Amino acid sequence: QHAWQERMVASSRALCATVSPDLTQRCDAETYLNNCRQTVGFPLLLLQLVQEHCSVSANEQSAVIRSSAAIYFKNLIEKSWEADPKGANEILMADGDRNAIKAHIVKLLCECGSFEDIRQQLSQALSLMAASDFPGKWESLLPEIVKNLEGGDRETTSGMLLAANSILKRFRFTYKSDALYSELKYVLGILAAPLTALLMRLGQALDVADDDQKCCKEVLESLRLACRIFYSLNWQDLPEFFEDHMAEWMGQFEKYLGYKSKAPQNEGDDECIVRLQSAIMDNISLYAQKYEEEFTPFLPRFVSATWQRLIKLGLLPKHDRLAAASIRFLAEVASKQMHTTMFMEGNALSQVIEAIVLPNMSIQDSDIELFEDSPLEYISRDFESADAETRRRGACDLIAALCKHHNATTTRVCVDYIAAMLQKYAESPSEHWRSKDTALHLVISLTGRAESPARGSDKFPDQINFMEMYSLHIVGEIAAQASSHPIILADAIKFVCTFRNHIPPEELVKLLPLLGWRLCNTEVVIRSYAAACIERILAAPGKIAKDQIEPMLTQLFEALLVVPEVALTGSPSYSDSMPWENEYAMKAVMRLLVASQESVIPIVKSITEKLCNSLTRACVNPGNPRFIHYLFESLAILVRVACKADSSGTLTNQFEQTFFPQFQVILQMDIVEFAPYVFQILALILRYKHALSDAYASLLPALLHPALWERCGNVPALSALLEAYLAVGADQLVASNQLEPILGVFQKLLASKLSEAHAFDLLKSIILHVDSIVVDRYIMTILQLLLTRLQQDRDRCDLCHKTLSFLGLLAGKHGGKSLANSIENQQTGLLANLILHVFAPKIAQSDIANPFDAKAIVIGATRILCEAPDVLVNQGDPASWRALGAILVKLLRQIRGQSYTPNESFECAKEIPDGPMASYDATFSKLHFGSKKVEDAFSDIHDVKEFASFHLHQLATQRPHFQPLVSTIQEQ
């Protein structure tokens, strides 16, 4: 007991020290607590500290200890409760501690209910524990929660509801399964009835406590949690219990949608009511969407209640979620054919648009603040459609739902409002700019809100003359020296981007310089929209030809590449990080390079310098992964275009001289995110060279260092770079004794399933580019490694296919007899056994994915069949010869009519991914334009069928006793 007390005192001091301003004290405290993690009883000690300091009189030290202990306990549960599949856990919690925690956690949650921060931490810990143990390993949990719900005070009730809500979220947004339904049935059997009874008791308590503001808040929060639990229990399917008691629940929901507290309230005190009503809207939206037949009797009442609530609801930001959820409910109802008459009676449609759509589609003050202070967040909502919880998104969805069944009527009503708002704007642009903003968003919503500006829209309302609207209300805003408001200019650019498919090509050509001019705007949103619009226009197939953009090429590049400079010199300080790393501008640079191709060569030097300047800035503090990705894509395009057109190699050498110093800095600084990109660009440049330069030769030993290959993200790019070394300077590598280290890399890569594909690619490069006499020194070891790996994983089709493809390549290049003898030297009869029992079944099971691999197998199989037939006919049994012949026939059928000419062109926009090009991956991001051209190892053999027929005919002629076997292949 004395030792336990000493540990509690020491732990209390350490927990207090974790918030000390002194770095040394904090580090010492964290070290002590981390060491304690491995001792039995430490989680219980933390819980005891929480319990004791929740019961003592309030003081600053007790608050720090209980809060820190609760947080540390939650983190300890997260790290040590359940075994990590990846083995990241340092140590698992002892079984005795686990059982003791489960026995006391619910009780402690009840006792500490008055401390909101403690309750939140313990609830999260309980949820983490329940995720692995409930219900199978913790059958007492739910009955204990229900017991406390039925007999506890307000704080206990709230704590138990919070815990139950955390636990039961598992039933939302997950796939159906027998196990899930079994758990759900168990929970419903215990909780459904008590939860319903609790809902009624809470309603009565709210009626009694209506004059007590504090009590009202506590009861309203408990009601909200009960509604969230209801949502979890009903998400998968409609439970029989809740179907039978639907009237009780819906009656309470309707009551609280119109609830207004009688207690005196200060401004902002209705937050609990709004949160409860938002939870109710989620519930009735769920029922309207998934259980419409059972919910139909209640629907008209909720449509009316929601309508009335929306009309009375203010435009304050705290009401945004409720407004969005309410409008989404109305949209869900309006989208169903059986309910649309509700919105078509009398002037109901006009009332919906005027009283609900237009006020909520109108831009809010909070949106203007986002535009000015958090432009990246504004762009995400407005341009990237990440606005699911906003009023405007809800209003747009409601219009789209109304158009679904009554398009003509809805459009006609909206067109009248659009005309009125545009006329109001024309009378006083500076005063009524919000009207035009709403009008333009209403136009976009009529075309279907699912279409984002980035994707563009092929639809436009028939009742609006597009070119008239474009000429009168859009292009003038973009061309004007001064706009009524920056948001209107952004709206105009977004309009062009959204409806670019409707704008004639000659108008788009005129727009490009205007958009280029807007790239120098002081507002981040306008610069970003202008860049995105340029990129989308250039991506539109068949709209603008290369010769049309050539006269403005320099102007556009200068404007796009100056965007980072404008952001760096701008005076505002944004809450968004790194506003100069504008991904839209860099993607537009990339797209313009693709569109212009060889026309860019005269200005390639200045573009390269500016891109390198941006890369230098990014090295200091990498911020936006997409910006970095598009930057390296742009560098890759520059290299491809310039080096392909540069027969003298001058530009290739210039790229090497420009990039190497900067790339060396990146590697020396160990900027993990950039290293794979650097290796890909280095590989791309090297493939355009005729020999290894001194810079590349001196870099190779560092590239072979094991530490680089330990990072999974480096492996694909480093492998490609080594392949480029082999393609360009195989003789130099052999002369400098670098081949064996490269083979060592191959051995390391082959050992892992994740990297074995790169091992085979590296091995193929060695066979293709290293002199066969040199390769023969290592071929026995290589075959031994491959066959050992195959023996470990012979059931995998992909590994069998890769191995067979390499053997086909080796046989095709070094001769079938040579390969057969090498394999037989490993073990007599091994080749026949592999073909008969490993390769033939796997080839019959699935096709070879890569046509070049299939071609290599066909050629290699032909050479083995014809050059080493005796090896396959073991003691007169031709089974393995026939099996290899069957592989040959199957692959010839598979590759019939396929082209083997790699297409290196990237003129077609459809070949360029439109999304986030290789959405950023912390392990490896492949450059679309940095990818190597797939090599045809047998490019001199154009007709593989003819090749096989010729050699088989030769075999039958020279060795007539094989004629029957050859005939069986020829017949097929």
Side-chain angles (χ1 to χ4, degrees):
Q1 185 65 31
H2 179 68
W4 179 262
Q5 196 62 37
E6 287 184 345
R7 286 180 64 189
M8 287 191 65
V9 171
S11 297
S12 298
R13 289 199 194 101
L15 290 167
C16 288
T18 58
V19 296
S20 169
D22 186 288
L23 178 61
T24 304
Q25 288 187 22
R26 290 204 308 274
C27 291
D28 291 344
E30 288 166 5
T31 301
Y32 173 82
L33 292 171
N34 283 332
N35 292 334
C36 289
R37 279 181 54 193
Q38 304 179 24
T39 60
V40 176
F42 182 61
L44 298 175
L45 184 147
L46 291 173
L47 285 182
Q48 188 170 340
L49 285 174
V50 171
Q51 184 181 33
E52 287 186 2
H53 288 277
C54 281
S55 58
V56 301
S57 57
N59 63 73
E60 185 176 350
Q61 189 177 38
S62 287
V64 170
I65 292 174
R66 67 172 173 257
S67 180
S68 299
I71 292 171
Y72 205 89
F73 173 77
K74 188 262 293 182
N75 293 338
L76 190 60
I77 295 295
E78 188 172 10
K79 293 176 182 177
S80 305
W81 187 265
E82 187 179 13
D84 191 322
K86 298 180 180 178
N89 304 60
E90 295 176 12
I91 186 169
L92 282 178
M93 196 173 292
D95 288 342
D97 287 348
R98 293 166 66 94
N99 294 332
I101 290 169
K102 287 193 284 189
H104 294 93
I105 185 75
V106 174
K107 180 182 178 183
L108 183 59
L109 193 56
C110 295
E111 293 176 358
C112 302
S114 58
F115 299 95
E116 178 62 24
D117 59 333
I118 305 302
R119 192 168 62 178
Q120 290 289 343
Q121 295 296 329
L122 293 181
S123 292
Q124 290 179 38
L126 179 62
S127 178
L128 291 167
M129 294 153 58
S132 65
D133 287 16
F134 175 79
K137 300 177 184 177
W138 199 354
E139 294 181 357
S140 63
L141 174 60
L142 197 57
E144 189 176 1
I145 289 176
V146 169
K147 180 181 177 181
N148 283 287
L149 282 176
E150 291 175 337
D153 55 20
R154 288 200 310 270
E155 291 176 353
T156 298
T157 298
S158 179
M160 293 300 96
L161 287 171
L162 183 64
N165 183 43
S166 298
I167 295 167
L168 301 178
K169 285 179 182 178
R170 66 170 71 188
F171 296 125
R172 305 181 200 168
F173 314 112
T174 188
Y175 293 110
K176 296 179 179 180
S177 67
D178 292 342
L180 184 77
Y181 270 67
S182 176
E183 289 181 9
L184 183 57
K185 183 179 179 182
Y186 166 79
V187 170
L188 287 166
I190 296 176
L191 185 59
L195 184 67
T196 304
L198 176 65
L199 180 78
M200 299 305 169
R201 289 203 307 274
L202 289 171
Q204 295 167 2
L206 185 63
D207 294 337
V208 173
D210 205 25
D211 294 330
D212 186 337
Q213 187 175 345
K214 182 184 176 185
C215 183
C216 271
K217 284 185 176 182
E218 292 176 353
V219 175
L220 288 168
E221 176 60 14
S222 293
L223 283 166
R224 185 192 72 84
L225 291 170
C227 288
R228 298 310 291 160
I229 294 171
F230 178 89
Y231 185 80
S232 298
L233 296 178
N234 283 267
W235 198 91
Q236 289 290 337
D237 207 344
L238 179 58
E240 183 179 350
F241 179 89
F242 288 118
E243 185 177 359
D244 293 341
H245 294 78
M246 191 181 296
E248 299 166 53
W249 281 89
M250 295 305 153
Q252 293 297 303
F253 289 165
E254 187 179 2
K255 168 186 172 182
Y256 298 126
L257 275 182
Y259 176 80
K260 184 173 177 62
S261 175
K262 297 176 184 176
Q265 292 188 3
N266 300 316
E267 186 178 352
D269 282 349
D270 64 340
E271 184 178 352
C272 289
I273 300 173
V274 170
R275 293 180 69 202
L276 169 60
Q277 291 172 341
S278 297
I280 291 171
M281 292 310 308
D282 288 341
N283 288 338
I284 62 174
S285 294
L286 177 71
Y287 267 55
Q289 180 183 7
K290 300 183 74 170
Y291 316 123
E292 57 181 320
E293 183 179 344
E294 294 84 357
F295 186 59
T296 296
F298 305 95
L299 188 63
R301 291 155 48 187
F302 280 108
V303 169
S304 176
T306 303
W307 190 322
Q308 296 301 319
R309 187 69 184 97
L310 272 171
I311 292 174
K312 297 175 183 177
L313 196 62
L315 296 175
L316 296 173
K318 66 179 181 179
H319 297 144
D320 285 352
R321 187 179 180 279
L322 174 57
S326 301
I327 300 171
R328 199 161 53 244
F329 166 69
L330 294 180
E332 182 64 40
V333 175
S335 66
K336 303 289 179 67
Q337 177 71 50
M338 60 190 295
H339 303 313
T340 53
T341 53
M342 292 184 186
F343 301 90
M344 294 298 148
E345 296 173 353
N347 61 347
L349 182 61
S350 295
Q351 290 179 5
V352 168
I353 294 173
E354 183 174 344
I356 296 176
V357 171
L358 295 183
N360 288 285
M361 192 176 285
S362 177
I363 192 166
Q364 308 297 313
D365 291 340
S366 57
D367 296 323
I368 300 173
E369 290 176 8
L370 277 182
F371 183 92
E372 295 170 348
D373 300 331
S374 301
L376 300 186
E377 176 66 20
Y378 182 91
I379 293 168
S380 176
R381 291 187 181 188
D382 186 59
F383 197 79
E384 302 288 357
S385 300
D387 56 348
E389 295 294 327
T390 65
R391 294 170 181 263
R392 175 169 280 179
R393 175 62 181 267
C396 291
D397 287 346
L398 180 53
I399 288 293
L402 292 169
C403 287
K404 187 174 180 180
H405 300 293
H406 299 278
N407 182 56
T409 307
T410 304
T411 303
R412 186 180 66 251
V413 174
C414 288
V415 166
D416 291 340
Y417 284 109
I418 290 167
M421 287 186 287
L422 290 175
Q423 178 60 37
K424 188 176 181 181
Y425 171 79
E427 293 170 0
S428 179
S430 59
E431 185 179 352
H432 298 302
W433 65 267
R434 292 179 188 239
S435 296
K436 184 167 185 176
D437 173 79
T438 306
L440 294 180
H441 279 85
L442 189 54
V443 171
I444 293 174
S445 69
L446 287 171
T447 65
R449 188 59 181 83
E451 301 289 357
S452 68
R455 291 183 178 275
S457 176
D458 292 324
K459 298 184 294 182
F460 195 79
D462 295 334
Q463 292 152 318
I464 301 177
N465 185 314
F466 175 80
M467 285 310 297
E468 180 179 324
M469 184 163 200
Y470 170 78
S471 302
L472 294 178
H473 304 290
I474 303 300
V475 71
E477 296 285 356
I478 299 174
Q481 290 292 326
S483 176
S484 59
H485 195 280
I487 289 179
I488 294 300
L489 176 56
D491 289 342
I493 297 172
K494 186 175 77 167
F495 186 94
V496 168
C497 194
T498 303
F499 298 112
R500 58 188 179 275
N501 296 329
H502 298 268
I503 302 175
E506 60 273 14
E507 288 295 327
L508 291 176
V509 173
K510 294 176 185 177
L511 270 172
L512 285 176
L514 295 175
L515 292 169
W517 170 48
R518 291 302 185 182
L519 290 167
C520 298
N521 195 281
T522 56
E523 296 291 347
V524 174
V525 174
I526 293 174
R527 294 198 298 269
S528 302
Y529 282 18
C533 192
I534 290 172
E535 191 271 331
R536 292 289 80 197
I537 288 172
L538 293 173
K543 282 285 188 178
I544 298 181
K546 184 168 61 175
D547 59 337
Q548 289 178 295
I549 61 172
E550 195 166 337
M552 63 183 87
L553 208 54
T554 302
Q555 174 190 351
L556 285 175
F557 273 120
E558 287 179 353
L560 286 166
L561 291 168
V562 84
V563 169
E565 313 295 336
V566 174
L568 285 168
T569 56
S571 56
S573 59
Y574 302 107
S575 58
D576 297 316
S577 61
M578 295 297 169
W580 69 269
E581 289 187 340
N582 193 308
E583 67 186 75
Y584 302 97
M586 194 53 68
K587 187 176 183 183
V589 169
M590 178 204 73
R591 186 74 66 173
L592 190 54
L593 286 168
V594 173
S596 55
Q597 294 198 48
E598 66 275 2
S599 301
V600 81
I601 291 177
I603 55 174
V604 71
K605 184 177 180 181
S606 64
I607 296 173
T608 304
E609 288 177 356
K610 289 178 180 176
L611 289 175
C612 286
N613 289 339
S614 291
L615 182 56
T616 301
R617 279 192 296 268
C619 287
V620 177
N621 184 17
N624 187 335
R626 291 187 179 184
F627 172 84
I628 299 302
H629 187 87
Y630 294 133
L631 192 158
F632 278 102
E633 289 283 9
S634 300
L635 292 176
I637 299 167
L638 279 175
V639 171
R640 286 183 63 171
V641 170
C643 294
K644 187 177 180 182
D646 176 35
S647 57
S648 66
T650 303
L651 286 175
T652 306
N653 292 331
Q654 287 179 3
F655 279 128
E656 181 182 331
Q657 293 167 10
T658 302
F659 293 156
F660 249 85
Q662 192 154 23
F663 288 175
Q664 285 176 330
V665 170
I666 290 172
L667 296 177
Q668 288 167 2
M669 292 174 64
D670 196 25
I671 305 177
V672 178
E673 304 95 321
F674 292 4
Y677 291 126
V678 166
F679 298 140
Q680 290 176 83
I681 299 294
L682 288 173
L684 186 61
I685 296 173
L686 183 54
R687 287 184 178 274
Y688 285 102
K689 296 180 71 65
H690 304 295
L692 293 181
S693 63
D694 291 342
Y696 272 99
S698 62
L699 180 64
L700 182 59
L703 298 178
L704 295 172
H705 195 280
L708 277 181
W709 295 87
E710 290 299 326
R711 292 175 180 161
C712 296
N714 287 344
V715 170
L718 276 174
S719 300
L721 181 52
L722 287 189
E723 291 171 43
Y725 268 93
L726 288 163
V728 174
D731 293 340
Q732 290 170 264
L733 297 181
V734 172
S736 60
N737 298 318
Q738 298 288 1
L739 183 59
E740 286 195 11
I742 291 175
L743 285 167
V745 170
F746 153 74
Q747 184 176 358
K748 175 179 174 57
L749 297 179
L750 186 66
S752 169
K753 181 180 178 181
L754 295 175
S755 59
E756 68 185 18
H758 305 296
F760 280 98
D761 289 340
L762 191 58
L763 195 52
K764 288 175 184 177
S765 292
I766 292 173
I767 299 301
L768 289 176
H769 303 296
V770 177
D771 188 275
S772 59
I773 297 174
V774 178
V775 174
D776 286 342
R777 300 177 201 160
Y778 306 100
I779 202 66
M780 294 300 292
T781 304
I782 291 172
L783 288 174
Q784 186 177 1
L785 290 171
L786 287 175
L787 296 175
T788 302
R789 182 80 176 93
L790 185 63
Q791 186 177 15
Q792 294 169 351
D793 238 340
R794 62 184 294 174
D795 292 333
R796 280 179 44 215
C797 278
D798 59 334
L799 179 59
C800 291
H801 289 175
K802 291 169 191 168
T803 306
L804 184 57
S805 172
F806 168 72
L807 295 178
L809 174 68
L810 190 58
K813 291 297 181 182
H814 290 205
K817 188 171 185 179
S818 173
L819 174 64
N821 290 337
S822 297
I823 295 178
E824 288 300 293
N825 287 337
Q826 301 278 336
Q827 180 183 326
T828 303
L830 180 58
L831 178 60
N833 188 48
L834 285 171
I835 292 171
L836 202 57
H837 300 293
V838 179
F839 297 136
K842 291 297 182 285
I843 291 293
Q845 190 174 334
S846 63
D847 289 343
I848 300 291
N850 188 328
F852 293 102
D853 287 345
K855 181 179 180 180
I857 295 172
V858 167
I859 293 169
T862 300
R863 295 199 64 173
I864 294 171
L865 287 168
C866 299
E867 295 174 14
D870 296 327
V871 176
L872 299 181
V873 181
N874 185 21
Q875 297 180 352
D877 183 4
S880 58
W881 199 98
R882 291 179 187 276
L884 187 56
I887 292 174
L888 176 67
V889 171
K890 182 179 187 300
L891 293 181
L892 281 172
R893 289 174 178 168
Q894 178 188 328
I895 63 180
R896 184 186 301 160
Q898 291 192 9
S899 171
Y900 297 100
T901 305
N903 180 16
E904 199 177 4
S905 171
F906 46 89
E907 293 184 20
C908 298
K910 65 182 180 181
E911 295 181 8
I912 308 166
D914 280 337
M917 295 233 347
S919 36
Y920 180 70
D921 185 344
T923 55
F924 175 65
S925 292
K926 183 178 180 180
L927 291 175
H928 179 76
F929 296 111
S931 304
K932 65 176 182 178
K933 180 176 68 175
V934 180
E935 289 184 279
D936 182 0
F938 300 97
S939 56
D940 55 321
I941 300 174
H942 302 292
D943 190 332
V944 288
K945 182 179 179 182
E946 183 182 333
F947 174 87
S949 298
F950 174 78
H951 284 78
L952 288 168
H953 177 72
Q954 273 193 331
L955 173 65
T957 303
Q958 295 170 4
R959 307 184 67 173
H961 60 284
F962 278 97
Q963 177 63 52
L965 293 176
V966 172
S967 297
T968 59
I969 294 178
Q970 291 174 334
E971 289 170 3
Q972 296 179 62

